[in-house]
Every structure is written in C-alpha cells, then in structure tokens.
Amino acid sequence: MLGDSRKAQEVFQATLREAAASAAHGDVPREPFWLFREARWRCLEESKTDLQAEPLEMEEYEITPEASLQIEQLEPAQLAIWISSAPEPQRTALALFYLNEFDYGEILDLADLKLSELSRLLVMGRRQFQAWLNMMAPQISKI
Amino acid sequence: MKAQRLSRAQRTLLSCAPINEERIRDRSMRAALSRARGSKEFANQQSFDRAMAALVDAIPIPPETAEWFSDKDFFPASKWTWKKMMRNPAVLAVGIAVLVIAGVFVFNLLNHLNDFPGSATARKLLVLASSTRPVLLDPVDADAGTLGDLFFMKHGLEHYEVPPEFADFRTIGCRVFEDEESRRIAQIWLVEKRMQLFLFPAERNMKTGAVLRFPGWRYVQQEGWTGAVAEHNGVCFMAALRGRKDDLIRYISEAKE
C-alpha cells in the first residue's frame, strides 16, 4: 500500500506496538480484523504526504474469455504495481479481494465500505485491468 | 450473466463472489451463485479472478519484509508451571472447593468409621443423658443388676438386663420411656460418677427382621459424653458418662479381670 519498505516497516512496527500496548491494558477491541484496519489507516495517513498520482480517466473493457491467458503472461510485479497505483479505496478493495484471504463481508468491515461500493470498485477494477491487459498483451486478446 | 434472471442485489453480490467457492458462508451469496452458474459472463469473471489471485500469490515478498515475519516467536510463549497454574483464580477456586469437599468427606468417614448397628440411637441417648435431671427419674436405691426384673415385671421388657460389668453399682433412679420411634427405652441413674445406663432395642434388618448383632463393646461420643455399647439378646446396653473413652474402658477392663 505504501510502495516504500522503510515506511511499511515503520507502520508495521507502530501497529504492533499499539496492539501490544492495548493488550497489556486489556482493552483489545472485540471486533475481528481491528489490527488490519488499524494498519490500513496508518498506511493511509502515511501516504497522505506522498506525491499523489494525478486522477486519470482509465479505459474500461468488458472481461474477455481470454483474460486468464493474458494474465498468465504477466509478471507478478506488474500486477503489484498496477494495484498499488490504483486510487484509494479501490487499491484496498483490489488488494484485499485478490489476496484471497478474506470474504466480502470481512473486506467491507476492514475497508469501511458498503457492499455496493465494493461491488462497483471491483467491477471497475476488473474492466480497467482488462483494458490495460489488452494494451499489454494484445496478441492473446486477438486470438 | 443472465441479467433478466438476477436481481440488482444479486448482481452486486456476484461481483464480490469469492474466488474459492468453499469460502462462501452466507445464504444470499450461495443463492446468487446458484442462479449465475452457467452464465458466460460470470464464468469469465471467475476465471479472471482465479488468474489474478494466482498472480497475486506469486508476487514475491521483498527479503527485508520477509524478515519481519521470521520463524522466531516475537514473544516466546510463557512456560507452563505449577506455580502459575496455582495462581489462576479458576484453578484456585476449584482447588479450594475440592479441598473442602475432601475435608467433609474425610470428616464424615472418620465419624462413621466406628459406626455399628444402633450407634445413631446411642448418640441421641447421649444428648438426652446430658440434659436429664435426677428428678425426672423414679427414685430407686438398689443394685443396677436387679433392675432387669423390675423392667420385666413392671413394664414387660424382656432381656433388659444390666451387664455384669455395671451390675453392682448402686442406683439413684430409673424410668422407662418411649422415643420418637415408639421404642421403649430404660434409663438408670447410678451413684458412681453420676453415670447413666440405657437399655434399648437393638436395630433389626428391615427386610428379615433379624437383629443386627455386633460383638463386644463399641464406643460413641457426643457433646462431651462417651457411651460404651454392647448388644445381648436383641437389646442394646449403653453406659454413658461425661468424660473420655478411657474413663469407661476402665470399668469394662476391671470387670474382665
């Protein structure tokens, strides 16, 4: 989420410190995933002062049956860069969804989103990624 | 996706459909998925999502980040010790409860270790002995051994005989009364150490009616009083005095000698 390992480490350690202090005082929140949410808010706070990408009108394209083959051609780092450059809260939604560790209810809880918002962000993300795929791996899309 | 078959809410849900179907927990999602199954559009979305998840899974974790999650424990698990466990309030409470229960059990066990048929009645009579005054008894100045005839002639009590160990002691008075179970009990007051003698029916087997016999002398204690009990011919005899067991044993051993 930060694209800077030093900052990420600071956030990680600050979050753990906070969690340890809360646990020591016995006031650990009862809600699940509070640690993830805390870490996310810290990341957002940290990235507030960073250079922000200009809002960009991205092309969108309907998902094609060949999309999975196009994705297979990509390098994992390319996808990581693509997701990390998405605007918030789309970046969080895509990252948490494709991490495949949380169900949609947990993502809503973690990212403070409504179901309709999450749905819109994912649909838009898929369509934008398909458009980008068509640009990056056009040969398969033409098969 | 066949839009005509899906509601707007279901379309919203389907766009968040989990990549692995085993992760589905709620019914509305399951319903939406079952309606969308077979739809080309949804199949495209699922294969797209699976490919994306596989690629995300392959994203390498930078070595400096991997170090944060080393195999070593951040906080080593505290060692389990007896001392720690004993300080646990729940364990402490259970321990105390078990000790109390064990104490009560041992106390009861020790109390009833020397029980014999008729010991409960003997204890009740010891309580009675502690509260009896000589004026309650009919004055009789005789040898205790002679009162057996009196009990038989006057009250029809057979075998209510004072054993030889106590037969020669002089009496102050005697009486016959019924207890709460309508058993006839003979009470004799002796001059010797203000000792009291009791004669009462021995306990019987509830089914057969046979007398529950026990050999020799048995001792009971209650409220500072001690009783020596013996059974003979279906009648229990008890000599009771305020004091210890040794004070009574002396009379019985002397008689034997």
Side-chain angles (χ1 to χ4, degrees):
Chain A
M1 283 190 73
L2 291 164
D4 180 337
S5 63
R6 188 188 52 81
K7 277 186 180 177
Q9 187 168 14
E10 278 172 16
V11 166
F12 175 76
Q13 285 171 347
T15 309
L16 273 192
R17 229 184 345 261
E18 176 84 17
S22 298
H25 291 106
D27 54 0
V28 176
R30 281 177 164 240
E31 49 181 320
F33 309 122
W34 65 273
L35 193 68
F36 293 99
R37 192 163 49 228
E38 181 73 25
R40 177 181 174 246
W41 281 114
R42 281 178 190 276
C43 285
L44 294 181
E45 278 294 310
E46 197 68 36
S47 57
K48 243 184 203 173
T49 52
D50 287 352
L51 283 176
Q52 303 294 317
E54 281 180 40
L56 191 67
E57 196 67 37
M58 286 185 77
E59 265 187 72
E60 292 184 22
Y61 200 91
E62 204 64 44
I63 300 173
T64 62
E66 298 80 27
S68 56
L69 294 173
Q70 290 174 294
I71 293 166
E72 279 170 17
Q73 287 192 329
L74 292 177
E75 285 296 320
Q78 286 178 290
L79 177 61
I81 292 166
W82 193 91
I83 290 177
S84 66
S85 60
E88 271 301 325
Q90 192 182 33
R91 177 173 48 175
T92 302
L94 290 171
L96 292 179
F97 185 78
Y98 287 112
L99 210 51
N100 201 15
E101 293 288 338
F102 307 100
D103 66 22
Y104 76 94
E106 291 164 347
I107 296 172
L108 298 180
D109 182 34
L110 257 166
D112 285 328
L113 289 170
K114 289 178 185 163
L115 179 61
S116 57
E117 285 176 311
L118 177 66
S119 166
R120 186 180 54 80
L121 293 170
L122 291 177
V123 168
M124 201 166 69
R126 287 188 190 107
R127 292 169 64 88
Q128 288 172 344
F129 195 74
Q130 180 65 65
W132 185 76
L133 274 177
N134 292 346
M135 204 168 62
M136 295 297 292
Q139 65 280 19
I140 292 177
S141 67
K142 283 173 194 163
I143 294 169
Chain B
M1 226 174 292
K2 291 173 186 170
Q4 67 276 15
R5 285 178 58 216
L6 295 165
S7 66
R8 194 174 163 190
Q10 283 177 323
R11 282 203 302 274
T12 305
L13 270 176
L14 281 177
S15 57
C16 308
I19 297 159
N20 301 323
E21 291 202 8
E22 63 267 24
R23 294 176 65 93
I24 303 165
R25 289 181 206 153
D26 65 317
R27 202 161 48 169
S28 49
M29 177 64 87
R30 270 200 299 273
L33 277 173
S34 73
R35 295 196 80 175
R37 225 177 290 279
S39 133
K40 196 180 166 194
E41 199 176 328
F42 183 64
N44 283 349
Q45 179 194 307
Q46 288 288 77
S47 76
F48 178 94
D49 285 348
R50 274 195 286 271
M52 286 283 272
L55 200 59
V56 166
D57 203 36
I59 293 173
I61 298 170
E64 63 270 21
T65 309
E67 274 175 20
W68 309 345
F69 305 97
S70 68
D71 290 338
K72 288 177 192 167
D73 291 332
F74 286 114
F75 306 103
S78 57
K79 276 187 180 174
W80 182 93
T81 61
W82 279 104
K83 210 174 177 181
K84 258 188 192 170
M85 200 185 76
M86 291 304 289
R87 282 185 195 150
N88 184 323
V91 174
L92 206 62
V94 170
I96 291 170
V98 168
L99 274 180
V100 169
I101 292 167
V104 170
F105 178 76
V106 169
F107 179 77
N108 279 333
L109 187 76
L110 289 177
N111 263 356
H112 295 282
L113 205 60
N114 296 319
D115 271 5
F116 54 89
S119 59
T121 309
R123 284 197 187 89
K124 279 184 201 166
L125 292 175
L126 283 180
V127 175
L128 178 81
S130 67
S131 60
T132 303
R133 297 286 168 268
V135 289
L136 293 172
L137 279 72
D138 303 327
V140 177
D141 181 11
D143 283 346
T146 61
L147 294 188
D149 293 337
L150 174 74
F151 293 141
F152 179 67
M153 300 291 285
K154 192 176 174 184
H155 302 284
L157 297 170
E158 216 173 338
H159 304 305
Y160 272 48
E161 304 285 349
V162 173
E165 289 90 337
F166 298 91
D168 297 334
F169 292 119
R170 299 296 292 176
T171 64
I172 295 171
C174 72
R175 67 166 174 164
V176 173
F177 62 94
E178 285 187 359
D179 69 357
E180 63 270 26
E181 290 167 39
S182 300
R183 288 178 300 192
R184 300 184 79 194
I185 295 167
Q187 184 178 12
I188 304 163
W189 197 298
L190 300 184
V191 176
E192 173 76 12
K193 285 199 169 180
R194 304 181 72 78
M195 198 186 294
Q196 293 181 44
L197 310 179
F198 291 90
L199 290 146
F200 54 95
E203 271 191 25
R204 289 173 185 273
N205 186 304
M206 297 280 275
K207 285 181 185 169
T208 60
V211 173
L212 299 173
R213 301 184 184 281
F214 57 91
W217 290 90
R218 300 295 177 94
Y219 296 88
V220 282
Q221 285 182 312
Q222 189 80 21
E223 295 181 6
W225 281 67
T226 305
V229 187
E231 185 275 330
H232 188 64
N233 285 334
V235 174
C236 282
F237 167 83
M238 177 170 76
L241 56 70
R242 183 186 291 280
R244 293 170 301 157
K245 188 177 165 182
D246 294 344
D247 301 331
L248 269 174
I249 290 175
R250 196 158 48 84
Y251 290 102
I252 292 157
S253 349
E254 275 175 11
K256 275 183 187 170
E257 282 161 16

